[in-house]
Amino acid sequence: MKIEFNIAYQTVFGEELVLNVINSNAKSQCRLSTCDGLHWSGSIKGSHKELKILSYYYSVVRGNQEVRSEWKLAPHILKLSSLKGEHYVTYDRWNDIPADSYLYSSAYTDCINHIVLGEEPAHAYPKTVKIKVHAPQLRENEALFLCGSIEALGKWNADKAIPMAEHNYNEWVVDLNVEALNTYHLEFKFIAKNKKADYSPLWETGYNRTIDLPEMKAGDVEVYELDQAFFEIYDRKLAGTLVPVFSLRSKTSFGVGDFGDLKKMITFVAQTHQRVLQVLPINDTTITHTWTDSYPYSCISIFAIHPQYVDFTVLPSLKNVKKKNDFEKLREELNALKQIDYERVNEAKNEYLKELFAQEGEKVLKSTDFKQFFKEAEWWLVPYAQYSYLREEYGTADFSTWPDHQVWNEADRDILVDHKSQAYQHVAFYYYVQFILNRQMQSVHEYAKSKGVILKGDIPIGVNRYGCDVWMEPKYFNLNGQAGAPPDDFSVNGQNWGFPTYNWDEMIKDGCVWWVHRFQNMSKFFDAYRIDHVLGFFRIWEIPVNSVHGLLGQFAPSLGMTRDEIEGYGLHFQEEQFTKPFIADWVVERIFKEHADEVKAKYLNRVHDDILEMKPEYDTQRKIEAIFEGKTSDQDIWIRDGLYSLISDVLFIRDSKDPNKFHPRISVQFDFVYEALWDNDKAAFNKLYNDYYYRRNNQFWYGEAMKKLPRLVEATRMLVCAEDLGMVPDCVPWVMNQLRILSLELQSMPKDPTVKFGHLSRNPYRSVCTISSHDMPTLRQWWDEDWERTQEYYNTMLHREGPAPHPLPGWLARNIISRHLASPSMLCVLSIQDWMAIDEKLRLADQNAERINIPANPRHYWRYRMHVNIEDLINNQDFSHCVSELILEAGRK
């Protein structure tokens, strides 16, 4: 049997087209030939038994280097369905990532439309024409039919149309018996019918389609892949809720939200016609067993789930009656708290899990279900379990201080998977816990899909520098840097997250496999995800390890400036003066006032005239931090922060890789070294600064992102959303549009620099609209934060006269939410606090107790819990009706 492939694709000199077969025993790659650089063809041979179904895509190569390829998430599918077919000829179309790629995501196919792929029936036609077409707009229970001008195609009667089979997501196919057609000229259209409702069929738009078949002989199969079928169906808009799993509260939870609570929340979301439930990261963050581990974006493993989320109600009860009763009493006490007591909750849950493991562990570890899980997860689970055991054994997660095993040794794997070994007994508990958590979260995922709810997860940009990921594969990380963010509305000193930065050169060498595995593992639990700080894939704000604040950071990678480039702007470059802290007598006096002499005597040395420098024992922010550790008086903190500011008062920062290149310090226009410049030097610096931060690196960063993000976006079929706030370079929307990634739109943080508040009507469809995130004040807090700004918003955006009411009344919160729901954004996802703001009887009295996180505080305690049980929320008919009404009025369903 022979299969010929034909495709029209314009190339340039030196480029070739390659056919890549990805799921059969046929030749894995076939180079095509052309006579004109536009029409390409090639062929493969094999038997029906060998091939059966071909899955393939085309790519463009130059030599042996792939230049670009088709969208790999929707490959061409060819089922050899003709039992008599000996010669297949395909006419394919090049498939770029489509504008409506979101309709191919599991969020839509599995959760919204509940697509069940059909079987393409086999037949024995002597001559066959196979027609394939994509119809992604079809909704749940709708099917595609073909109807044409001749009797065999229904003669334009929709009731006699030919049914097609959905053999791949959104791709429909039908085989026609050429001899029964009695013609080689086909004229037809596609129509959509609802299988469960008596709706009039919907005909595709545009002119009738035509195919003129060539002369065919017995055994010939002509395969035509056609343009997408387009129907006059409006774009779907969905609503949802954002709430961290730990913040959930039910009558059965153990002082913290768990996966059982997550199921209950899905019930509430579905009940109110919402289709999205977004959560924060659920990864294990256990480092110190203290409240500082509550930070959900500081994971120790990108695969392991945090044990605090285990739902005990679906596990066997403890057989020891006294312990069972004691735990129940403790559960009631912890669950009654207004906020999470992270340390007590996790200590109790860990103790409970150990009791349960002693009781049930042996039986569970011998089960078929566990063995299947272990087979799938062993590659990451074994190192994680050993890391967790050693962390407890040595009393610290800082593996650099461990007497041995300071890095994962692959040779240890064999003994750690041998259930007869002592090493296995040490780590078996961690195997057991992760098995339970994985199965529970997968159960939640299946429940969400059954309810038509998209579970949306979160991909943190960083990992803990003392975590298992760094311990296991240190080559992927730069431990000399700290990831963070430059100054913004959240923090004037920038943010220092403390995470190590990535060694992207090393990651790109193996195709970003670390990231691909991470995304693929996440797809077991979610159908959409938010990329935290997507700017980190273009460049990360890298802060030296000896810094506390983010002001001394630089973008990495980025194009540093040479001395000649700097002087080309008209600024005479004085390396010593511009790269070291500018400390003059007048600066010290301005900062420390009456304590200036004390600070000079204790922390500074005089260099010459009125110029000083930090003493060596105080010349970094980390040294200052250590000196003031434990000192909490206002004066001590004031002096400490003043010393921090002295150290960061530099005009340029030396490049971390090339000492002969420099970066202008971020926000330095607010510092003394800039104030001390002559006016003409300030003008030259400002021009240099603006070029550097807003123009110089754009094309470079575009290239950096395109080395990484396409591989990650194509790793799964999850719907891809991104947090693209902050200091966003122009190249970010280029990449996000090219890869069809949903942006994040906040009215209070508009992307348009010419407006103070965003115009909701201008939101792009491919976006997520929200009012506040976990890093921001809630709507009610924001409303009272800056009365002048609120008044302007009230008059100009809500178009209301008179003074804005304070605090925010429920009716006005409802109005604001209604406006957001009416925006063009595909998704409108609001925090649970903002949803509750519409009901003055339901919402929390103290609005400040609703805050989840304060980004400016790197040691914030993440302990917010809903003040209402989910069961009561489900039974609150007034609130449910109000939420449903808002959503249905906005056409989001």
Side-chain angles (χ1 to χ4, degrees):
M1 181 179 61
K2 181 180 180 181
I3 306 175
E4 293 184 26
F5 298 90
N6 299 277
I7 187 170
Y9 185 79
Q10 185 67 61
T11 57
V12 297
F13 183 76
E15 292 182 342
E16 294 180 85
L17 238 62
V18 171
L19 172 78
N20 305 275
V21 180
I22 54 179
N23 75 327
S24 79
N25 295 322
K27 184 179 179 181
S28 62
Q29 198 173 72
C30 173
R31 294 211 171 203
L32 307 184
S33 59
T34 184
C35 293
D36 57 6
L38 173 62
H39 299 93
W40 294 82
S41 62
S43 63
I44 60 175
K45 294 183 178 180
S47 67
H48 277 281
K49 184 177 181 180
E50 288 177 324
L51 301 179
K52 292 184 180 179
I53 298 179
L54 282 177
S55 180
Y56 60 95
Y57 68 92
Y58 296 97
S59 59
V60 177
V61 298
R62 184 180 289 275
N64 292 319
Q65 184 70 36
E66 183 178 288
V67 178
R68 56 190 172 277
S69 73
E70 290 187 287
W71 187 39
K72 295 175 184 175
L73 283 183
H76 302 271
I77 301 291
L78 176 61
K79 181 176 180 181
L80 308 183
S81 52
S82 174
L83 300 177
K84 293 188 176 181
E86 291 298 330
H87 182 206
Y88 281 74
V89 180
T90 73
Y91 299 94
D92 289 324
R93 304 185 61 80
W94 180 275
N95 294 327
D96 275 321
I97 180 170
D100 56 7
S101 62
Y102 55 89
L103 292 173
Y104 294 79
S105 69
S106 61
Y108 277 85
T109 62
D110 298 2
C111 303
I112 304 301
N113 293 330
H114 297 288
I115 291 177
V116 178
L117 296 180
E119 282 294 323
E120 187 181 344
H123 57 81
Y125 303 152
K127 305 172 188 176
T128 305
V129 57
K130 183 187 291 287
I131 296 175
K132 301 194 298 179
V133 67
H134 285 89
Q137 292 173 289
L138 300 192
R139 302 189 177 188
E140 188 174 9
N141 298 320
E142 291 180 337
L144 199 68
F145 290 74
L146 183 150
C147 192
S149 61
I150 60 175
E151 196 70 41
L153 300 182
K155 210 165 185 178
W156 300 121
N157 185 342
D159 293 333
K160 296 180 180 180
I162 310 298
M164 302 181 73
E166 190 173 12
H167 72 153
N168 195 21
Y169 291 112
N170 298 324
E171 185 175 58
W172 298 78
V173 63
V174 65
D175 282 356
L176 301 176
N177 184 351
V178 174
E179 292 189 344
L181 298 175
N182 291 321
T183 179
Y184 280 87
H185 175 76
L186 305 181
E187 185 176 2
F188 59 92
K189 275 195 167 188
F190 297 108
I191 61 176
K193 294 184 182 181
N194 193 300
K195 294 178 285 186
K196 293 189 176 182
D198 189 21
Y199 297 148
S200 298
L202 191 62
W203 293 76
E204 68 169 322
T205 60
Y207 295 114
N208 295 342
R209 297 177 186 257
T210 59
I211 294 178
D212 290 304
L213 300 174
E215 290 292 330
M216 298 173 68
K217 60 180 183 294
D220 284 355
V221 180
E222 295 282 317
V223 184
Y224 293 90
E225 185 175 278
L226 305 181
D227 286 343
Q228 175 176 319
F230 184 81
F231 297 90
E232 290 183 328
I233 299 176
Y234 60 86
D235 289 329
R236 199 153 190 175
K237 299 195 300 182
L238 310 173
T241 293
L242 162 65
V243 59
V245 178
F246 60 74
S247 296
L248 298 173
R249 180 191 294 271
S250 77
K251 295 177 180 179
T252 60
S253 47
F254 209 121
V256 67
D258 59 41
F259 291 150
D261 299 335
L262 191 54
K263 273 190 176 180
K264 294 170 185 172
M265 193 64 193
I266 290 167
T267 301
F268 170 75
V269 165
Q271 172 183 297
T272 52
H273 295 93
Q274 299 182 69
R275 305 306 292 268
V276 183
L277 179 55
Q278 180 177 335
V279 299
L280 301 192
I282 58 173
N283 303 91
D284 190 1
T285 58
T286 307
I287 288 286
T288 64
H289 296 288
T290 66
W291 65 266
T292 59
D293 295 346
S294 66
Y295 183 21
Y297 287 87
S298 182
C299 65
I300 63 166
S301 169
I302 58 174
F303 304 107
I305 298 173
H306 201 305
Q308 71 178 356
Y309 298 125
V310 67
D311 174 16
F312 289 139
T313 66
V314 294
L315 296 176
S317 298
L318 293 180
K319 294 178 180 177
N320 185 311
V321 176
K322 183 180 184 307
K323 288 184 177 179
K324 177 182 175 181
N325 292 338
D326 288 345
F327 274 115
E328 175 58 21
K329 182 179 178 182
L330 179 58
R331 185 197 70 79
E332 292 177 353
E333 178 189 342
L334 292 172
N335 211 33
L337 298 176
K338 292 182 179 180
Q339 295 178 304
I340 301 166
D341 187 330
Y342 185 90
E343 294 173 14
R344 290 183 67 201
V345 162
N346 279 276
E347 182 182 357
K349 281 204 156 186
N350 193 52
E351 186 181 345
Y352 192 110
L353 283 167
K354 287 181 177 177
E355 292 288 341
L356 207 55
F357 176 67
Q359 177 182 299
E360 307 286 338
E362 185 177 354
K363 179 176 65 176
V364 170
L365 296 184
K366 290 180 180 178
S367 67
T368 302
D369 202 18
F370 173 80
K371 290 176 182 176
Q372 178 62 33
F373 162 74
F374 194 78
K375 181 180 179 181
E376 296 169 356
E378 179 195 328
W379 61 280
W380 67 263
L381 180 60
V382 173
Y384 163 78
Q386 189 190 36
Y387 163 88
S388 298
Y389 167 74
L390 293 170
R391 177 194 63 213
E392 304 307 303
E393 181 72 9
Y394 297 132
T396 178
D398 184 355
F399 43 81
S400 66
T401 66
W402 293 352
D404 50 33
H405 296 94
Q406 293 183 355
V407 68
W408 161 250
N409 184 356
E410 185 61 31
D412 291 341
R413 186 178 294 273
D414 288 344
I415 195 169
L416 290 166
V417 301
D418 181 0
H419 68 275
K420 297 178 181 178
S421 71
Q422 186 179 10
Y424 182 90
Q425 304 307 317
H426 288 157
V427 299
F429 170 70
Y430 301 102
Y431 296 161
Y432 168 78
V433 172
Q434 287 303 311
F435 166 69
I436 290 173
L437 290 164
N438 270 259
R439 287 300 181 260
Q440 287 190 359
M441 188 57 205
Q442 284 178 306
S443 175
V444 171
H445 185 203
E446 291 303 315
Y447 182 71
K449 289 194 289 186
S450 74
K451 288 290 188 179
V453 172
I454 301 166
L455 267 186
K456 183 182 176 188
D458 202 323
I459 298 277
I461 188 61
V463 299
N464 194 291
R465 66 176 51 244
Y466 301 120
C468 177
D469 298 307
V470 180
W471 177 72
M472 184 180 176
E473 297 181 284
K475 67 179 181 178
Y476 289 144
F477 302 93
N478 171 25
L479 296 175
N480 293 321
Q482 305 172 96
D488 56 21
D489 292 341
F490 300 137
S491 176
V492 295
N493 291 318
Q495 298 176 45
N496 185 350
W497 305 324
F499 308 138
T501 53
Y502 293 113
N503 182 351
W504 283 111
D505 292 339
E506 197 66 35
M507 287 181 160
I508 290 169
K509 282 181 186 177
D510 60 18
C512 295
V513 67
W514 184 86
W515 283 96
V516 169
H517 286 161
R518 180 180 190 178
F519 280 58
Q520 290 173 342
N521 183 74
M522 192 174 181
S523 68
K524 296 188 304 181
F525 311 126
F526 300 100
D527 288 297
Y529 62 89
R530 165 191 177 271
I531 302 177
D532 170 46
H533 195 66
V534 73
L535 303 183
F537 291 92
F538 295 76
R539 79 293 185 272
I540 198 73
W541 188 247
E542 187 174 74
I543 305 163
V545 289
N546 58 19
S547 292
V548 174
H549 290 161
L551 291 175
L552 290 173
Q554 59 187 258
F555 286 123
S558 63
L559 303 173
M561 307 183 76
T562 64
R563 178 191 299 271
D564 289 343
E565 285 180 300
I566 294 171
E567 296 199 339
Y569 283 88
L571 178 67
H572 177 55
F573 186 69
Q574 305 170 61
E575 185 172 327
E576 284 293 311
Q577 182 176 334
F578 288 167
T579 61
K580 289 186 176 181
F582 174 71
I583 309 175
D585 284 322
W586 63 272
V587 170
V588 178
E589 288 161 8
R590 285 259 296 271
I591 294 176
F592 298 100
K593 299 181 174 60
E594 69 272 14
H595 297 282
D597 290 339
E598 174 190 341
V599 167
K600 290 178 188 178
K602 185 171 183 179
Y603 301 104
L604 302 172
N605 286 328
R606 188 164 298 280
V607 179
H608 61 81
D609 302 322
D610 67 336
I611 301 300
L612 304 102
E613 65 179 4
M614 302 297 297
K615 291 182 177 180
E617 59 268 36
Y618 306 118
D619 62 359
T620 72
Q621 290 183 343
R622 288 295 177 198
K623 291 178 180 178
I624 297 297
E625 180 185 49
I627 293 296
F628 284 85
E629 182 71 30
K631 297 180 179 180
T632 58
S633 72
D634 290 344
Q635 181 174 315
D636 283 330
I637 293 174
W638 178 63
I639 291 178
R640 181 202 65 187
D641 290 348
L643 293 172
Y644 284 165
S645 68
L646 283 182
I647 292 169
S648 62
D649 192 13
V650 297
L651 198 65
F652 285 91
I653 293 169
R654 197 179 299 274
D655 188 88
S656 58
K657 291 184 177 180
D658 186 343
N660 295 314
K661 292 184 177 179
F662 307 88
H663 307 262
R665 208 215 77 189
I666 191 80
S667 298
V668 74
Q669 290 89 341
F670 299 103
D671 260 335
F672 299 106
V673 64
Y674 177 83
E675 183 181 336
L677 295 176
W678 297 104
D679 286 348
N680 60 325
D681 286 339
K682 287 179 181 178
F685 180 82
N686 288 342
K687 184 178 179 182
L688 172 156
Y689 183 95
N690 290 332
D691 280 349
Y692 175 84
Y693 279 109
Y694 300 105
R695 287 179 284 275
R696 179 182 178 86
N697 288 284
N698 261 318
Q699 199 62 44
F700 174 67
W701 285 337
Y702 169 84
E704 290 298 306
M706 292 302 291
K707 292 177 185 176
K708 311 155 191 170
L709 281 173
R711 300 177 186 184
L712 309 187
V713 168
E714 291 189 344
T716 73
R717 289 198 309 110
M718 291 188 289
L719 181 66
V720 189
C721 311
E723 181 268 294
D724 57 335
L725 304 177
M727 193 175 181
V728 182
D730 290 345
C731 59
V732 173
W734 305 345
V735 172
M736 291 180 62
N737 286 330
Q738 188 171 338
L739 300 180
R740 316 299 192 231
I741 299 173
L742 274 65
S743 64
L744 182 62
E745 304 296 329
L746 278 91
Q747 192 174 25
S748 59
M749 295 182 66
K751 304 279 176 61
D752 182 352
T754 65
V755 299
K756 189 167 185 178
F757 303 107
H759 292 272
L760 295 172
S761 61
R762 299 177 188 172
N763 283 6
Y765 173 67
R766 204 163 48 235
S767 69
V768 182
C769 175
T770 192
I771 297 174
S772 65
S773 76
H774 64 274
D775 276 337
M776 301 174 185
T778 63
L779 173 59
R780 292 168 64 204
Q781 284 184 299
W782 180 88
W783 191 261
D784 289 340
E785 200 174 53
D786 183 334
W787 284 37
E788 185 176 337
R789 177 188 58 192
T790 300
Q791 186 65 50
E792 184 177 354
Y793 177 79
Y794 184 75
N795 297 141
T796 63
M797 304 309 295
L798 301 183
H799 306 293
R800 293 184 174 274
E801 297 179 354
H806 290 276
L808 179 68
W811 64 266
L812 191 52
R814 177 181 173 127
N815 179 268
I816 293 170
I817 286 174
S818 176
R819 290 168 181 269
H820 281 76
L821 290 169
S823 74
S825 298
M826 181 196 304
L827 306 183
C828 182
V829 181
L830 308 179
S831 70
I832 188 63
Q833 303 97 308
D834 289 348
W835 276 118
M836 290 186 184
I838 66 179
D839 190 329
E840 295 184 24
K841 293 181 292 184
L842 176 65
R843 67 192 194 185
L844 195 63
D846 180 8
Q847 62 195 43
N848 293 318
E850 295 179 338
R851 187 73 186 255
I852 295 176
N853 176 43
I854 301 174
N857 179 7
R859 292 173 62 82
H860 180 78
Y861 192 172
W862 297 64
R863 60 190 313 198
Y864 165 73
R865 285 194 85 193
M866 291 169 54
H867 63 288
V868 181
N869 290 322
I870 304 172
E871 296 93 336
D872 296 332
L873 205 60
I874 292 171
N875 293 325
N876 189 324
Q877 295 302 311
D878 290 342
F879 181 66
S880 292
H881 175 75
C882 188
V883 172
S884 297
E885 187 177 51
L886 283 166
I887 290 169
L888 295 177
E889 282 177 353
R892 292 185 179 270
K893 55 182 179 178

